[in-house]
Amino acid sequence: MPVSSTRYGNVRARVAVVGVLIAALAVTLAGPNASADGSASRTVSKARVHKVKVGHSFFGVHDRYLSSLRRASTGSIRIWDAGTDWATIEPTEGTWNWAPLDAVVKAAHNNGTAVTLVLGLSPWYAASTPTDAPDPTMYRDYVQAVMERYRAGHWGYRGIQSYQVWNEANISTFWTGTDDELAEMTRTVHSVRDAVDPGVRVIGPAMVTRLRFEQKAARAFYSTKLHSTGQPVWKYVDAVSLNLYPTETVATSNGGQRPSIPEDAMALLHTMRGFLDDANVPRSKPIWDTEINYGMGRDATDVPISGARQTANVIRTYLLNAAQGVKQVDWYAYDMGTLPGGGTLGNTLLTDPRHRAAGTLTRAGKAFTMVQKWMNGTMIGTTTQRPCIKNRQGTYTCKIKYATRVGRIYWNPFKTVKVRLVSTATRKTNENGVTSRVTGGSRIKVNFKPVLVKSKR
């Protein structure tokens, strides 16, 4: 029987009201923080599960002696402290010594490793000191010469994939110029890139993040608008660079101190995202963790980190950075050797400084390779939380979907707990790569050392 227009209108009105109520309920259920990246979801139906899959270049290192470029696990290399600074490449204005950089580029290409070159420091003829802002024309000429040499069409392949404007430009150790000068240099790299090799990325100046004054200085730089264009400086970078070293020790709730750990670096990342928000940098702008290590002391008196904790630090660092959306992580350092007074710069090296030339891997170096195998899938979160979710006991669970299996990586930074495995769990692999059988539904002990448990679902 046909419906009269009046009855149809009443039905349509009631349906509309119900739809509004359902939509309102969905927004309430989703909450203002339904999306872990800081943007509120409008309805539950539109919320998407957070998924992360990283590429090979995510796994980066620093390497003075290039032994990492003999290993397939080296996804990317950030060229700094490697004898390839501006003064070495252009020892006098207009004269070029390409041999050191050519060697890195060729070895990286042969190994399938992406290259990031840091453009600095100032040579003697371009500024009064290495940390001063260089002559703008000389800087442009240097950047252009490097990009032209390593562009895609020069050798039949692109030698350098990313260029970084400067190193640690928010501390006087490396930069004594102004934010305005640094902003114009950033635009210079961006404009030369567009003209010479549009396929490469411009990485913002590296920013140290461990201390409050450094964090504020990074915010001040990214708040800068260029006098030449009126545009904010972040528009001229393809990624923001943060060096997420935590302090050597961290205060505890009982007034003591403990060694810093990867979770402290993630606290710095959270803080820096807030400062970048203050500077109106969009959340869509990628972040690179361009230097990371723990216990970054300067002499032999520093308390060493045990081999087990070094291994755990490497695994947790790459898992947590990926889970939080960081696009590349450059471990400092692969090698570097020992300091004159003993000890190493950074407690966790990926190669043994006693066998530097051979590139003999430490336990941490082996973990760098192993975590890539663990992460060779898709990391799965929820609609409201990014992957690697922490429960009330402080235990982390990183769920990874593989082609035919599901992996769950567990750890607790501060205590030993028991974790109940899913019913289809079959095997576990510890932080050293040793695999054993497990019973589905059983409970296993978990501590600061990550363990991977694989199951059918």
Side-chain angles (χ1 to χ4, degrees):
M1 183 172 63
V3 180
S4 69
S5 59
T6 302
R7 289 184 60 197
Y8 179 77
N10 291 336
V11 170
R12 182 170 57 186
R14 286 195 293 270
V15 169
V17 170
V18 171
V20 170
L21 291 173
I22 291 174
L25 177 61
V27 172
T28 301
L29 292 174
N33 297 312
S35 176
D37 64 1
S39 59
S41 299
R42 291 186 178 275
T43 65
V44 171
S45 63
K46 290 185 178 180
R48 295 182 179 180
V49 172
H50 287 279
K51 297 181 180 181
V52 175
K53 187 174 180 64
V54 299
H56 189 42
S57 63
F58 173 77
F59 301 95
V61 299
H62 293 77
D63 184 0
R64 174 66 178 89
Y65 302 99
L66 305 187
S67 60
S68 68
L69 297 181
R70 300 196 297 267
R71 295 187 181 276
S73 58
T74 307
S76 57
I77 184 169
R78 180 176 180 255
I79 305 302
W80 182 247
D81 290 332
T84 56
D85 61 311
W86 181 1
T88 300
I89 301 304
E90 190 182 9
T92 61
E93 186 180 1
T95 63
W96 302 95
N97 173 28
W98 296 111
L101 192 50
D102 281 356
V104 179
V105 166
K106 291 176 181 178
H109 174 73
N110 292 337
N111 197 53
T113 300
V115 175
T116 299
L117 176 67
V118 183
L119 299 165
L121 299 166
S122 297
W124 62 271
Y125 54 83
S128 299
T129 72
T131 62
D132 284 342
D135 177 272
T137 300
M138 292 181 182
Y139 185 70
R140 174 178 286 275
D141 291 345
Y142 161 62
V143 171
Q144 183 164 338
V146 173
M147 287 191 181
E148 286 181 345
R149 184 169 185 85
Y150 300 107
R151 62 186 173 83
H154 186 73
W155 290 344
Y157 59 85
R158 177 173 288 116
I160 296 176
Q161 288 71 34
S162 304
Y163 291 91
Q164 186 162 32
V165 178
W166 207 260
N167 181 65
E168 296 189 343
N170 58 338
I171 57 174
S172 59
T173 306
F174 294 103
W175 177 253
T176 50
T178 67
D179 284 342
D180 289 335
E181 289 170 322
L182 188 62
E184 291 295 346
M185 289 167 59
T186 302
R187 178 175 174 250
T188 292
V189 178
H190 184 273
S191 62
V192 172
R193 183 278 305 271
D194 286 353
V196 174
D197 194 0
V200 302
R201 291 179 293 261
V202 176
I203 311 303
M207 297 288 166
V208 189
T209 61
R210 64 166 69 91
L211 301 177
R212 183 62 59 166
F213 85 89
E214 297 164 343
Q215 297 164 2
K216 290 181 178 179
R219 177 181 62 187
F221 171 71
Y222 277 106
S223 298
T224 302
K225 289 188 177 181
L226 280 75
H227 294 304
S228 58
T229 65
Q231 295 297 312
V233 68
W234 56 259
K235 287 197 172 183
Y236 298 100
V237 304
D238 298 310
V240 171
S241 166
L242 303 176
N243 289 356
L244 292 175
Y245 299 112
T247 53
E248 291 181 60
T249 59
V250 176
T252 60
S253 58
N254 61 4
Q257 296 282 324
R258 62 165 176 78
S260 59
I261 55 176
E263 290 74 15
D264 299 319
M266 294 301 95
L268 288 179
L269 174 62
H270 176 76
T271 297
M272 288 307 304
R273 279 188 163 136
F275 278 118
L276 293 172
D277 287 344
D278 293 343
N280 295 316
V281 180
R283 284 285 177 118
S284 59
K285 186 70 67 174
I287 291 177
W288 286 21
D289 185 353
T290 42
E291 289 187 29
I292 184 66
N293 207 318
Y294 307 91
M296 283 295 290
R298 302 291 176 177
D299 56 48
T301 64
D302 300 311
V303 177
I305 301 174
S306 69
R309 288 199 175 273
Q310 290 185 33
T311 298
N313 283 350
V314 169
I315 296 171
R316 283 152 52 188
T317 292
Y318 282 92
L319 283 167
L320 288 170
N321 272 273
Q324 290 303 313
V326 174
K327 299 304 181 184
Q328 182 167 312
V329 181
D330 301 315
W331 192 271
Y332 192 101
Y334 196 81
D335 49 17
M336 301 305 288
T338 55
L339 296 170
T344 61
L345 182 60
N347 270 295
T348 303
L349 300 181
L350 304 186
T351 55
D352 189 331
R354 298 168 298 179
H355 308 287
R356 187 179 63 206
T360 303
L361 294 179
T362 60
R363 286 175 63 181
K366 294 175 181 177
F368 175 75
T369 299
M370 188 179 67
V371 73
Q372 297 184 40
K373 297 178 181 178
W374 285 14
M375 294 174 66
N376 189 23
T378 301
M379 302 176 72
I380 306 294
T382 70
T383 56
T384 61
Q385 292 179 285
R386 299 192 67 87
C388 295
I389 296 169
K390 183 174 71 171
N391 69 11
R392 292 180 180 179
Q393 289 185 297
T395 303
Y396 287 80
T397 302
C398 299
K399 183 179 179 181
I400 302 179
K401 181 73 167 59
Y402 303 112
T404 59
R405 289 288 186 271
V406 173
R408 291 173 176 84
I409 304 169
Y410 304 104
W411 76 87
N412 188 300
F414 301 117
K415 57 186 177 182
T416 299
V417 298
K418 286 189 175 181
V419 172
R420 185 174 297 281
L421 306 182
V422 298
S423 61
T424 59
T426 56
R427 289 183 175 274
K428 69 175 182 178
T429 303
N430 70 13
E431 80 285 1
N432 295 315
V434 178
T435 299
S436 58
R437 292 183 179 275
V438 293
T439 301
S442 64
R443 291 161 64 89
I444 63 170
K445 289 184 178 180
V446 170
N447 58 20
F448 69 91
K449 297 177 284 189
V451 57
L452 167 65
V453 178
K454 286 192 174 181
S455 59
K456 294 179 181 178
R457 61 180 184 273

